[in-house]
Amino acid sequence: MPQGKPEAVPDDGLTTRERRRQPVLAVHTGQGKGKSTAAFGMALRAWNAGWPIVVYQFVKSPKWRVGEEAALRALGETGKGGTVTWHKMGEGWSWIQRSGTERDHAAEAAEGWAQVKRDLSAQAYRFYVLDEFTYPMKWGWVDVADVVATLRDRPGSQHVVVTGRDAHGDLVAAADLVTDMTKVKHPMDAGRKGQQGLEW
Amino acid sequence: MPQGKPEAVPDDGLTTRERRRQPVLAVHTGQGKGKSTAAFGMALRAWNAGWPIVVYQFVKSPKWRVGEEAALRALGETGKGGTVTWHKMGEGWSWIQRSGTERDHAAEAAEGWAQVKRDLSAQAYRFYVLDEFTYPMKWGWVDVADVVATLRDRPGSQHVVVTGRDAHGDLVAAADLVTDMTKVKHPMDAGRKGQQGLEW
């Protein structure tokens, strides 16, 4: 809400303008729906601001997020806003050439994170979605201390949104904005299955 | 998650296919961020499914959601997915001609809801976002019983997402999917103001 008034002015030596431009690290966690969906919704604003956007999808299934991917890619292709780059772990990261079909998800996640680090260091994008990245952190596929330090100390004005359940406490502590999507009621409780257009 | 398994199969006489196609009424409520943002993220999937989308923005300020509006309108204009229609209360609903600048928000909200009813009755769209609609309900600008009955008994396969804090209990009871966006941490707590690209 642009009209929002901060509750207190911090004693950090920054002007409001400087503070306003500070990059945000956001975490969308919790058991409910909307964690990734809200991150892609934020990408709409980033696109409109003309920011280069990148999505790192740390999920196994290449079928996930096909609707979001198609829509954001189509937006990027309009040329009217920011560019959109989309990397999927589920079909092997696009920058890695593979001979076989065997996949080691732990190694793939680590490769994905290594690329994120390179991008952040190079300030390659302005808005990052690290989709479902809480799981590689939880499962020990990436080093939590390395992730937290890298995200906390990233250069420039790069905004990062991390999604997924069970966000690590150190990530939550380092984040500026943390929202817990809490499930109140879900159609699957009533025996419904997911449907195209709504769920993917 | 398309791979999700329902926890129980209901005794409602529907096949899985019929149940899968049932229209969903979703509510995004709570004090945290992401309620509207996740609704617009859902619109990306609806767009990719080719569904006609409409957004009713029940907010006073025409400056809100400019990024989301620009992005979703641009998507609609690509012609590759669903159409996008966007109505804003903050600058007077587009279908109403006004002579003066005086506005009665209660009357405007009621006019907006009357148009939603006409659209639902005509099955004019497949995916509806009633953005910030919990407030006109809370403030008595629309009749809660009328809203709940209309949404519950809407014809065809029309999906509706209602966003806003303090969702009425009767709306929650009627909804299929309810998520509470719970604020864990927010940059404004640290004295930051909203910034373009992230907040609007």
Side-chain angles (χ1 to χ4, degrees):
Chain A
M1 288 172 289
Q3 288 87 342
K5 274 273 200 181
E7 287 163 20
V9 175
D11 183 23
D12 55 12
L14 298 174
T15 65
T16 298
R17 187 176 179 84
E18 285 165 340
R19 204 175 295 116
R20 186 183 281 243
R21 287 193 166 175
Q22 278 188 286
V24 166
L25 172 60
V27 175
H28 295 175
T29 190
Q31 305 299 308
K33 304 277 289 183
K35 298 182 285 293
S36 301
T37 311
F40 298 129
M42 291 173 77
L44 299 179
R45 294 194 286 267
W47 174 85
N48 189 56
W51 295 352
I53 296 163
V54 67
V55 176
Y56 279 86
Q57 222 185 321
F58 284 87
V59 294
K60 297 178 191 177
S61 169
K63 291 180 187 170
W64 279 17
R65 324 270 188 243
V66 290
E68 294 89 331
E69 180 184 357
L72 286 177
R73 281 189 188 277
L75 264 185
E77 287 163 10
T78 63
K80 296 177 187 171
T83 56
V84 175
T85 304
W86 193 289
H87 297 305
K88 272 190 277 199
M89 193 174 97
E91 49 189 33
W93 300 109
S94 53
W95 64 87
I96 297 172
Q97 299 291 327
R98 274 184 214 294
S99 48
T101 53
E102 280 292 299
R103 284 178 191 149
D104 178 331
H105 292 305
E108 281 196 309
E111 286 164 356
W113 168 242
Q115 183 63 35
V116 172
K117 286 181 75 169
R118 288 190 290 269
D119 284 346
L120 287 169
S121 175
Q123 302 190 46
Y125 304 95
R126 189 84 191 270
F127 185 83
Y128 296 70
V129 178
L130 308 188
D131 190 32
E132 310 276 9
F133 189 52
T134 56
Y135 304 107
M137 294 181 70
K138 182 178 179 179
W139 298 328
W141 294 355
V142 294
D143 183 71
V144 171
D146 177 46
V147 168
V148 171
T150 300
L151 293 179
R152 193 188 51 215
D153 302 332
R154 69 197 185 283
S157 184
Q158 303 180 94
H159 304 284
V160 180
V161 186
V162 177
T163 77
R165 299 180 186 201
D166 307 325
H168 194 284
D170 292 352
L171 179 67
V172 168
D176 307 293
L177 171 61
V178 181
T179 306
D180 184 289
M181 273 66 173
T182 307
K183 171 179 138 175
V184 177
K185 193 193 270 191
H186 192 284
M188 284 187 194
D189 300 342
R192 293 206 210 171
K193 288 191 172 183
Q195 56 184 312
Q196 200 238 338
L198 281 187
E199 305 283 329
W200 68 89
Chain B
M1 290 172 287
Q3 288 87 342
K5 274 274 201 182
E7 285 162 22
V9 175
D11 184 24
D12 54 12
L14 298 174
T15 65
T16 297
R17 187 176 179 83
E18 286 165 340
R19 204 175 295 115
R20 187 183 280 245
R21 288 193 169 178
Q22 279 187 286
V24 165
L25 173 60
V27 175
H28 295 175
T29 191
Q31 305 300 308
K33 304 277 288 185
K35 298 183 286 293
S36 301
T37 311
F40 298 128
M42 291 173 76
L44 299 179
R45 294 194 286 269
W47 174 85
N48 189 55
W51 294 352
I53 296 164
V54 68
V55 176
Y56 278 86
Q57 222 185 320
F58 284 88
V59 294
K60 296 178 191 176
S61 169
K63 292 181 186 169
W64 279 17
R65 323 273 187 240
V66 290
E68 295 89 330
E69 179 184 357
L72 286 177
R73 281 189 188 276
L75 264 185
E77 286 163 10
T78 64
K80 297 176 185 170
T83 57
V84 175
T85 305
W86 193 289
H87 297 304
K88 272 191 279 199
M89 194 174 97
E91 49 190 31
W93 300 110
S94 53
W95 64 87
I96 298 172
Q97 301 290 328
R98 273 184 216 294
S99 49
T101 53
E102 281 292 299
R103 286 180 189 145
D104 177 331
H105 292 305
E108 281 196 309
E111 286 164 355
W113 168 243
Q115 183 62 34
V116 173
K117 286 181 76 169
R118 287 190 290 269
D119 284 346
L120 287 169
S121 175
Q123 303 189 47
Y125 304 95
R126 187 85 190 272
F127 185 83
Y128 296 70
V129 177
L130 307 187
D131 191 33
E132 309 276 9
F133 190 52
T134 56
Y135 304 107
M137 293 180 70
K138 182 178 179 179
W139 297 328
W141 294 354
V142 294
D143 183 70
V144 171
D146 177 45
V147 168
V148 170
T150 300
L151 293 179
R152 193 187 52 215
D153 302 333
R154 70 197 184 281
S157 182
Q158 303 180 94
H159 304 284
V160 180
V161 186
V162 177
T163 78
R165 299 181 185 200
D166 307 325
H168 194 284
D170 292 352
L171 179 67
V172 169
D176 306 293
L177 170 62
V178 182
T179 305
D180 185 290
M181 274 65 172
T182 307
K183 170 180 140 175
V184 177
K185 193 193 272 191
H186 192 284
M188 284 187 195
D189 299 342
R192 293 206 210 171
K193 287 191 173 183
Q195 56 184 310
Q196 198 238 341
L198 281 187
E199 305 283 328
W200 67 90

